[in-house]
Amino acid sequence: MQNLSATEIIDSVGPLGMAACDYLADAYNRHLNETFVVERKADKSMLTEADTGVHKLLLDGLKQRFPNIPVYSEEGRLSDSHERDNWPWYWLIDPLDGTREFVEKTGEFCINIALMNNGEPWLGFIFLPIEKQAYVGGVEQTPLFAQADLVWGAPALDEADDTVIIVASSRNVEHPRIKKIAQILHQRNNVVQIKVVGSALKYCALLGYKLAIYPRYGSTGHWDTAAGQALVEASGGLVLDMQGERLHYPAEKLINPSFISMSAACVPDQNLLVELFGMTLE
């Protein structure tokens, strides 16, 4: 890399991310009273002009700012994924994470930008276009939060009680395993709340609650999780596969296995991991 510090990278990427927020917010507001034109990609997932437009904005911006760091985007040439093995550093981005939420006009979509080092998340940004907010954190940077002015500070943490928050997607909330997790927590005398959150905003929720877990069953792409993993790990939390291993990003794969993310306050409770997932940490 260009011998840049995390602070220098944040100062450079922050304005680019906010420009992307403005682009998406404008597209979203224009279409609030219209029907979105939606295409289907080869994997049947949704694609809109907003996806491709913000992809180009971010691709051009990152290449201009960091000409020696490759950019790997969900809306780019995914067939070239094997090339990542040869990239000590690269950007892994999801220009519009939550296209379904964008189309369904829930407002729960975001922009994911992760800087990868040797295939692992080193720094992650999540930008919230509607709120004009941003989160960042990574290996050399504790989590930070900013409004549109990009004055960075520590994210607020709700420590009102010991309620365990289960963060889930709308498609996962009725999953039998989610219900089983809630049942086990109730049996442990925990107060439990299930919060349905769209896109990678789930990782922002993990930063906002003292006791929070995000179990994800089913497939996600690397671009869906890398930025959020950088944030959660920077806060002292964990993102583990169902064997209890840290979630990894091998170049020969694009899709993650099922996994569990947890806030820092959950990590010391080894019994919780055993009871919920049958896993122990070495």
Side-chain angles (χ1 to χ4, degrees), residues 17-53:
M18 281 301 171
C21 285
D22 289 339
Y23 179 96
L24 283 181
D26 182 62
Y28 184 73
N29 291 330
R30 284 200 318 269
H31 294 289
L32 273 178
N33 297 314
E34 302 174 17
T35 300
F36 288 101
V37 176
V38 179
E39 300 176 17
R40 294 283 178 174
K41 296 188 283 189
D43 63 358
K44 307 302 182 184
S45 61
M46 293 180 175
L47 180 70
T48 70
E49 290 183 1
D51 293 83
T52 53

Side-chain angles (χ1 to χ4, degrees), residues 179-189 275-276:
K179 293 182 176 180
K180 182 64 174 178
I181 289 170
Q183 180 184 11
I184 292 172
L185 289 169
H186 282 303
Q187 291 171 348
R188 287 166 52 99
N189 295 318
E275 292 179 40
L276 294 184

Side-chain angles (χ1 to χ4, degrees), residues 41-262:
K41 296 188 283 189
D43 63 358
K44 307 302 182 184
S45 61
M46 293 180 175
L47 180 70
T48 70
E49 290 183 1
D51 293 83
T52 53
V54 77
H55 158 77
K56 185 177 187 307
L57 187 156
L58 291 173
L59 184 66
D60 292 347
L62 288 171
K63 284 185 173 180
Q64 181 181 14
R65 290 164 169 77
F66 308 96
N68 298 321
I69 304 178
V71 182
Y72 190 71
S73 168
E74 182 186 8
E75 309 309 339
R77 296 187 303 162
L78 300 185
S79 59
D80 295 338
S81 63
H82 61 280
E83 295 180 1
R84 292 183 292 162
D85 260 344
N86 301 316
W87 298 341
W89 294 91
Y90 68 93
W91 295 102
L92 177 59
I93 66 173
D94 190 343
L96 172 48
D97 183 40
T99 302
R100 179 184 298 275
E101 288 80 1
F102 185 89
V103 171
E104 293 177 354
K105 304 176 183 179
T106 70
E108 291 193 323
F109 55 90
C110 60
I111 299 164
N112 299 337
I113 303 176
L115 180 58
M116 309 292 285
N117 178 223
N118 295 320
E120 305 297 341
W122 189 81
L123 188 69
F125 297 82
I126 295 180
F127 291 91
L128 288 60
I130 299 301
E131 296 83 358
K132 299 292 195 302
Q133 296 173 343
Y135 291 82
V136 66
V139 172
E140 296 181 6
Q141 178 60 64
T142 57
L144 297 173
F145 169 80
Q147 305 281 358
D149 58 8
L150 291 175
V151 176
W152 296 96
L157 177 64
D158 181 2
E159 297 191 60
D161 55 38
D162 290 330
T163 299
V164 179
I165 306 296
I166 301 176
V167 182
S169 67
S170 59
R171 284 169 284 179
N172 254 200
V173 69
E174 294 297 328
H175 196 290
R177 293 181 185 176
I178 299 287
K179 293 182 176 180
K180 182 64 174 178
I181 289 170
Q183 180 184 11
I184 292 172
L185 289 169
H186 282 303
Q187 291 171 348
R188 287 166 52 99
N189 295 318
N190 289 112
V191 177
V192 180
Q193 288 185 20
I194 298 179
K195 291 189 176 292
V196 177
V197 182
S199 69
L201 299 178
K202 300 176 187 70
Y203 299 100
C204 303
L206 286 185
L207 298 184
Y209 295 101
K210 179 180 178 182
L211 294 169
I213 59 174
Y214 164 37
R216 178 58 189 242
Y217 301 101
S219 62
T220 54
H222 288 183
W223 47 82
D224 293 316
T225 60
Q229 181 170 349
L231 277 169
V232 170
E233 291 179 344
S235 71
L238 295 174
V239 181
L240 308 172
D241 65 23
M242 292 303 170
Q243 285 68 53
E245 299 291 332
R246 182 177 182 240
L247 191 65
H248 291 291
Y249 297 81
E252 67 274 11
K253 295 181 180 179
L254 294 173
I255 303 301
N256 299 311
S258 297
F259 62 88
I260 170 73
S261 301
M262 66 190 73

